[in-house]
Amino acid sequence: MEEVQRHSVHTLVFRSLKRTHDFFVANQSLLPEIDETLEKLKYNIKARDTYGLVFDRAAKAKALAAKRGDNDRIEGQHGGKDGVLAITAAGEQEGSAPDGTNGQMALVPAATPTPQAASSAVQILPKKAPTIPKPKWHAPWKLCRVISGHLGWVRCVAVEPGNEWFATGAADRVIKIWDLASGKLKLSLTGHVSTVRALAVSPRHPYLFSCGEDRQVKCWDLEYNKVIRHYHGHLSAVYTMSLHPTIDVLVTAGRDSTARVWDMRTKANIHTLTGHTNTVASVVTQAANPQIITGSHDSTVRLWDLAAGKSMCTLTNHKKSVRAIVLHPSLYMFASASPDNIKQWRCPEGNFIQNLGGHNSIVNCMAVNPEGVLVSGGDNGTMFFWDWRTGYNFQRFQAAVQPGSMDSEAGIFSMTFDQSGSRLITTEADKTIKIYKQDDEATEESHPINWRPEIIKRRKY
């Protein structure tokens, strides 16, 4: 058996390049001639498609400048030699003018502005150096309770508007309701045949909504603890849901790349929001426009018009899948999370505010309380606490897994603050629910803000 001669990768690549060149060199002269008219047409179409708004603005600016020029020319014809009239007082006091005109007002042409005066009028004022606001001090958070009872990954959590209990859904297909104060199990609801992925509690009705990987969306009547409605329509697993705060509308989304808007009572599918090209991982609703915001694995965030059922705006700043979106409870803003970073946006147009960098893992969930504490949970069990206004990361730690669990079961799947914002509830891959609270003994002296803004000084040449 002959021994095969080994070559370096460098040699092999160059051999392949030479072989390719020899193979295609005969076709060099067979290329078709370039039609300059078609090329010009192609570039015009591309420019109009990409920079159409810029062209329109430039045309409007030119038209406005021409209109102003015409107005100035007309005024010049009526206003004498230089077209500017100034009203000057002939005397300083009434009846005591030095030239005997009894203080009458006279129309005289104003002096033509000198080039120096004109240039000073449009002189650009120096900009002030941007000031970096100091972050607000927040007390650090600590673990105060671990609740176990589920037999699978705990995927979702929702707190009741009265702040007395909360519900969790897990891969064991069971929805469990827990007492918030004591952490004791109150009720278990069975009915799903696959992982429960999202929960929502209605603030106006005794209803609990759930959805899961079995493509089912259920409405539970909590007075009878049974399912009273099913919402059929999703073609694949349903990963997220949100209740509209003011109207009886439910929005669900999932792996079929769509978000569906349901009439809560009639079970009618009002809108099917299409546009995403991959799994929709997160959806939130609010009373003000945009009323629906979705984040998807196609790396985009979409803002939707609920009345029209159409996309108002698509935010493409993220480079990786967007798995979590959270609305600020009082500010007209929201945040979206991706493995590259967390981004803050201002409604209604989705104006970008700032990046929150440093959470270098898949961010599964986020939560924010009225005090401006933003929390993000990662797939590797890391939790980051941020000051919303400045983006300062004031605390980070690794969530402890249950004894006996594998290190890979450290993921945090969902989190939410209770109605007061003083308790943080997380659901994790080690089949537990953890409740965190602020450290009451912490002070600004014991836990100071480690704030070092980088001030870039511009050199003057």
Side-chain angles (χ1 to χ4, degrees):
M1 187 174 178
E2 294 183 7
E3 188 176 344
V4 179
Q5 185 180 1
R6 294 186 180 182
H7 295 285
S8 67
V9 175
H10 190 268
T11 305
L12 292 174
V13 167
F14 271 91
R15 281 190 180 181
S16 177
L17 283 173
K18 185 176 183 307
R19 196 175 297 118
T20 306
H21 176 267
D22 294 342
F23 191 76
F24 290 107
V25 71
N27 295 336
Q28 286 293 322
S29 60
L30 302 178
L31 292 174
E33 293 184 5
I34 296 173
D35 190 332
E36 293 184 1
T37 309
L38 291 177
E39 285 289 309
K40 190 174 181 182
L41 192 62
K42 182 179 79 169
Y43 287 130
N44 285 341
I45 291 170
K46 282 190 174 182
R48 174 58 61 182
D49 180 51
T50 309
Y51 302 107
L53 292 173
V54 179
F55 291 155
D56 294 341
R57 283 194 179 184
K60 286 179 183 178
K62 283 184 180 179
L64 190 61
K67 190 175 179 182
R68 284 178 179 169
D70 292 343
N71 292 341
D72 292 344
R73 182 169 50 78
I74 292 167
E75 288 174 4
Q77 291 173 359
H78 292 286
K81 182 180 177 183
D82 39 355
V84 183
L85 291 177
I87 300 175
T88 59
E92 296 178 2
Q93 297 178 359
E94 189 176 351
S96 63
D99 57 354
T101 55
N102 293 329
Q104 295 175 355
M105 307 298 284
L107 285 171
V108 296
T112 306
T114 61
Q116 289 83 3
S119 63
S120 64
V122 294
Q123 187 177 3
I124 299 172
L125 297 173
K127 289 184 178 180
K128 290 184 178 178
T131 56
I132 304 173
K134 187 173 181 180
K136 179 183 174 184
W137 182 81
H138 299 284
W141 291 71
K142 63 179 183 179
L143 180 66
C144 68
R145 177 174 287 134
V146 178
I147 302 170
S148 59
H150 279 291
L151 302 177
W153 290 357
V154 192
R155 300 300 306 238
C156 52
V157 59
V159 179
E160 179 251 343
N163 216 34
E164 293 181 0
W165 52 266
F166 66 94
T168 56
D172 59 5
R173 311 183 297 278
V174 180
I175 300 167
K176 289 182 182 288
I177 293 176
W178 312 84
D179 185 73
L180 185 59
S182 64
K184 292 181 179 178
L185 180 65
K186 298 178 72 172
L187 187 66
S188 292
L189 301 173
T190 57
H192 279 280
V193 294
S194 189
T195 304
V196 182
R197 292 296 294 260
L199 296 168
V201 186
S202 172
R204 297 188 304 279
H205 312 286
Y207 295 156
L208 168 69
F209 295 87
S210 64
C211 63
E213 294 180 5
D214 51 8
R215 297 179 293 181
Q216 296 186 33
V217 181
K218 297 175 183 286
C219 174
W220 303 78
D221 189 330
L222 296 174
E223 292 179 346
Y224 300 97
N225 296 331
K226 66 177 185 179
V227 177
I228 57 170
R229 294 188 192 99
H230 288 89
Y231 302 88
H232 296 287
H234 276 286
L235 306 176
S236 191
V238 190
Y239 284 167
T240 179
M241 64 170 21
S242 179
L243 278 172
H244 196 281
T246 55
I247 56 178
D248 289 344
V249 157
L250 172 70
V251 185
T252 58
R255 211 166 64 197
D256 57 5
S257 308
T258 63
R260 294 179 185 266
V261 183
W262 309 91
D263 185 322
M264 190 188 294
R265 295 192 176 279
T266 65
K267 301 179 287 185
N269 189 184
I270 303 167
H271 294 304
T272 301
L273 308 178
T274 57
H276 284 295
T277 57
N278 208 327
T279 300
V280 182
S282 182
V283 61
V284 293
T285 56
Q286 61 182 1
N289 284 326
Q291 298 191 42
I292 300 174
I293 305 170
T294 57
S296 168
H297 288 191
D298 63 7
S299 308
T300 64
V301 177
R302 282 182 179 257
L303 283 56
W304 303 87
D305 182 354
L306 179 56
K310 293 182 179 178
S311 175
M312 295 165 49
C313 176
T314 305
L315 310 176
T316 58
N317 299 44
H318 283 291
K319 297 294 178 285
K320 295 185 179 180
S321 58
V322 181
R323 293 173 183 254
I325 291 178
V326 66
L327 291 167
H328 193 282
S330 56
L331 300 177
Y332 198 26
M333 297 171 68
F334 69 95
S336 58
S338 175
D340 50 11
N341 46 43
I342 298 167
K343 296 180 186 290
Q344 288 181 343
W345 315 86
R346 182 179 288 115
C347 297
E349 287 90 7
N351 300 321
F352 174 73
I353 303 299
Q354 65 179 346
N355 274 327
L356 279 61
H359 203 156
N360 298 318
S361 68
I362 296 174
V363 183
N364 284 328
C365 51
M366 289 190 300
V368 61
N369 71 359
E371 297 296 318
V373 175
L374 173 68
V375 192
S376 56
D379 212 37
N380 57 359
T382 54
M383 288 177 65
F384 280 52
F385 292 78
W386 316 81
D387 176 50
W388 177 280
R389 190 170 63 94
T390 60
Y392 169 67
N393 175 215
F394 67 89
Q395 187 183 5
R396 62 177 73 179
F397 57 79
Q398 176 88 28
V401 297
Q402 277 285 86
S405 301
M406 295 184 293
D407 292 339
S408 59
E409 294 181 326
I412 301 170
F413 289 128
S414 70
M415 59 172 55
T416 185
F417 283 99
D418 70 350
Q419 302 300 333
S420 67
S422 61
R423 296 289 184 275
L424 175 67
I425 307 168
T426 65
T427 65
E428 307 191 7
D430 62 355
K431 307 173 188 174
T432 65
I433 302 143
K434 296 185 175 71
I435 300 179
Y436 297 85
K437 68 174 183 178
Q438 285 182 316
D439 188 352
D440 298 331
E441 299 175 357
T443 62
E444 290 194 49
E445 287 74 28
S446 63
H447 294 80
I449 296 175
N450 186 18
W451 183 65
R452 294 171 183 169
E454 296 177 4
I455 302 171
I456 302 171
K457 296 181 179 180
R458 295 181 179 177
R459 292 182 180 179
K460 294 182 180 179
Y461 291 96

